Amino acid sequence: MKESSISNKQAISIIFFFIIGESSILLPGLSAKKDLWLSILLSFFMILPFIFVYSRLFTIFPGKDLFDVIKICFGNFIGKGIILLYTWYALDLSALVLRDFGQFVNTINLIKTPIMVSLICIMFLCIWIIKEGIEVMGKFSEIFFILPMILLIIVILFLIPNMNLNNIRPLLYNGIKPVMKGAYEVFIYPFGEIVIFTTIFSSFKEKKSIYSIYLYSLLLGGIFLFLTSLTIILTLGINNALSLYFPGYATVGHVHIGDILQRIEAISALVFLLGGFIKVSIYLFAACKGVAKIFDCSNYKFIVTPIALLILNLTYFEFENIMSFNEWIFDVWIYYAFLFIVILPITILIFAEIKKRFSTANQKS
């Protein structure tokens, strides 16, 4: 099957939406409390070395995605085992993210509607865009790229009178430990999740360093997340933010300018759903490519629908309610994800460098 390619701008737009999707509403890193903004800054510097790791995996074997690199480095048997791990990672994350968005839709609007209805609608769109190809997703992200920026500027400007600087003072009131914990949480989610793009991207229409694409995306997403979190804490205060499931959505609801500008949280919900749509689609795409690589299939599109149905079932039966969902995320997932975000990429990179050097040495001899 011929590999699809997208422009650099489209790749940046996709990664940007991927980062801000859930983060703009759920607000990760709340363990840092008042110092959340400091944790986000710290987490950005924590992810920078791993941008190099993820980018280097592309440049060692040009035109190959992570699954191809794994097979080259570890052989067919062990390689398929590692691919299976990443495929499970993509399946699990797609179920978690899908659950987030289904819960969001039901909580803010469709209260009496079974959550499965929302999940099926979102997944139907994801199936469609994956079958259409990565180019369609890139164009879709590029078109709506400016919307979150405009919304953020409007919200910040009109919420300035509601902001209280005492909500973030004093600095490091609870010590450095909560800040480090919050930074780790933001490092894992959402920044570290971009590791999944190593399984998606393999070629681009324009010649540009993949490192630059990752860096620009993270810079835009990081600034957006930083400003969003700062606005939420300054407006709501940390106690209110901790008591809400969707503090970002609640914050936008405070924007009221007479009868002219109000209820713009509907736009924030749209941004949230757009980001969720992109994020679930990316994970679905990665899972389908992983299954195709395991079974040596050249075309992943014929398994998109079965994999999507599997994710729907996993989403519905994995958690009883939002409380058990949150417990899993904050008590288990942020630690087990370390394997896929840090340990495995570094291990694969080491083997890839060794493999490349041996190949170069053999060619010279």
Side-chain angles (χ1 to χ4, degrees):
M1 178 181 174
K2 184 180 178 181
E3 288 290 336
S4 303
S5 60
I6 57 176
S7 68
N8 297 332
K9 187 177 179 181
Q10 289 170 352
I12 291 171
S13 300
I14 292 174
I15 300 174
F16 172 73
F17 266 112
F18 183 88
I19 290 172
I20 72 165
E22 293 170 285
S23 314
S24 60
I25 298 290
L26 297 178
L27 199 59
L30 278 172
S31 296
K33 297 186 177 179
K34 289 185 177 184
D35 297 314
L36 172 60
W37 62 274
L38 192 57
S39 290
I40 293 174
L41 287 177
L42 184 58
S43 66
F44 180 80
F45 290 102
M46 288 169 64
I47 194 63
L48 287 179
F50 294 95
I51 297 179
F52 171 78
V53 173
Y54 305 153
S55 303
R56 181 60 182 159
L57 289 170
F58 284 106
T59 56
I60 294 177
F61 298 103
K64 304 292 185 182
D65 59 37
L66 181 65
F67 295 143
D68 294 323
V69 174
I70 289 171
K71 277 193 171 184
I72 292 171
C73 295
F74 296 94
N76 202 44
F77 183 73
I78 297 176
K80 284 185 177 181
I82 300 174
I83 292 172
L84 181 61
L85 287 175
Y86 267 106
T87 302
W88 164 249
Y89 175 72
L91 283 170
D92 188 34
L93 263 292
S94 59
L96 292 175
V97 176
L98 187 61
R99 177 73 185 206
D100 269 341
F101 290 97
Q103 195 69 53
F104 175 73
V105 171
N106 279 56
T107 301
I108 67 167
N109 199 358
L110 306 178
I111 300 173
K112 296 184 179 180
T113 304
I115 192 172
M116 200 62 180
V117 175
S118 303
L119 300 180
I120 290 172
C121 291
I122 296 170
M123 187 56 79
F124 177 80
L125 292 173
C126 295
I127 292 171
W128 165 76
I129 203 166
I130 293 303
K131 288 194 172 184
E132 289 297 316
I134 191 70
E135 304 100 322
V136 176
M137 191 187 302
K139 291 175 182 176
F140 176 88
S141 303
E142 189 177 11
I143 290 170
F144 289 100
F145 179 77
I146 196 65
L147 181 60
M149 306 293 192
I150 296 173
L151 176 66
L152 182 61
I153 292 171
I154 291 173
V155 170
I156 291 174
L157 288 177
F158 288 113
L159 283 182
I160 288 175
N162 299 47
M163 295 181 184
N164 184 357
L165 282 175
N166 290 324
N167 288 337
I168 61 170
R169 295 188 298 194
L171 183 66
L172 297 176
Y173 178 75
N174 297 305
I176 193 66
K177 188 176 179 180
V179 175
M180 295 302 297
K181 184 179 179 183
Y184 174 77
E185 290 174 1
V186 179
F187 165 74
I188 293 293
Y189 156 74
F191 290 154
E193 290 180 307
I194 63 170
V195 68
I196 204 67
F197 287 98
T198 59
T199 68
I200 302 297
F201 297 151
S202 57
S203 61
F204 299 92
K205 293 177 182 177
E206 305 159 29
K207 296 295 182 183
K208 191 173 184 178
S209 169
I210 182 63
Y211 185 86
S212 299
I213 293 173
Y214 268 131
L215 187 60
Y216 290 151
S217 306
L218 277 166
L219 188 60
L220 289 170
I223 291 172
F224 189 94
L225 183 56
F226 173 78
L227 293 176
T228 300
S229 64
L230 198 58
T231 301
I232 292 171
I233 300 301
L234 287 172
T235 304
L236 297 181
I238 187 61
N239 291 330
N240 288 329
L242 286 168
S243 66
L244 296 167
Y245 285 125
F246 306 108
Y249 182 78
T251 302
V252 177
H254 282 70
V255 177
H256 293 287
I257 307 297
D259 295 326
I260 300 172
L261 185 64
Q262 55 184 333
R263 303 299 297 174
I264 68 167
E265 59 261 44
I267 303 176
S268 71
L270 176 61
V271 171
F272 183 60
L273 292 173
L274 286 173
F277 168 54
I278 294 295
K279 199 162 187 174
V280 175
S281 299
I282 288 295
Y283 281 126
L284 174 61
F285 190 10
C288 292
K289 287 189 72 174
V291 172
K293 296 288 184 182
I294 290 171
F295 292 100
D296 297 317
C297 300
S298 59
N299 192 337
Y300 64 86
K301 292 186 178 181
F302 78 99
I303 56 171
V304 173
T305 301
I307 296 297
L309 293 176
L310 176 62
I311 292 170
L312 276 172
N313 280 279
L314 185 62
T315 302
Y316 187 72
F317 292 109
E318 193 170 11
F319 303 102
E320 294 181 3
N321 50 52
I322 195 169
M323 295 298 292
S324 60
F325 174 80
N326 286 336
E327 287 176 5
W328 164 256
I329 292 293
F330 294 108
D331 295 339
V332 180
W333 181 80
I334 61 169
Y335 299 107
Y336 114 91
F338 189 83
L339 170 68
F340 302 96
I341 293 171
V342 176
I343 297 175
L344 282 177
I346 291 176
T347 304
I348 295 167
L349 178 61
I350 292 171
F351 276 84
E353 293 283 7
I354 294 171
K355 185 77 174 180
K356 185 69 174 180
R357 290 189 181 186
F358 271 106
S359 299
T360 304
N362 290 333
Q363 288 176 1
K364 288 181 179 180
S365 60

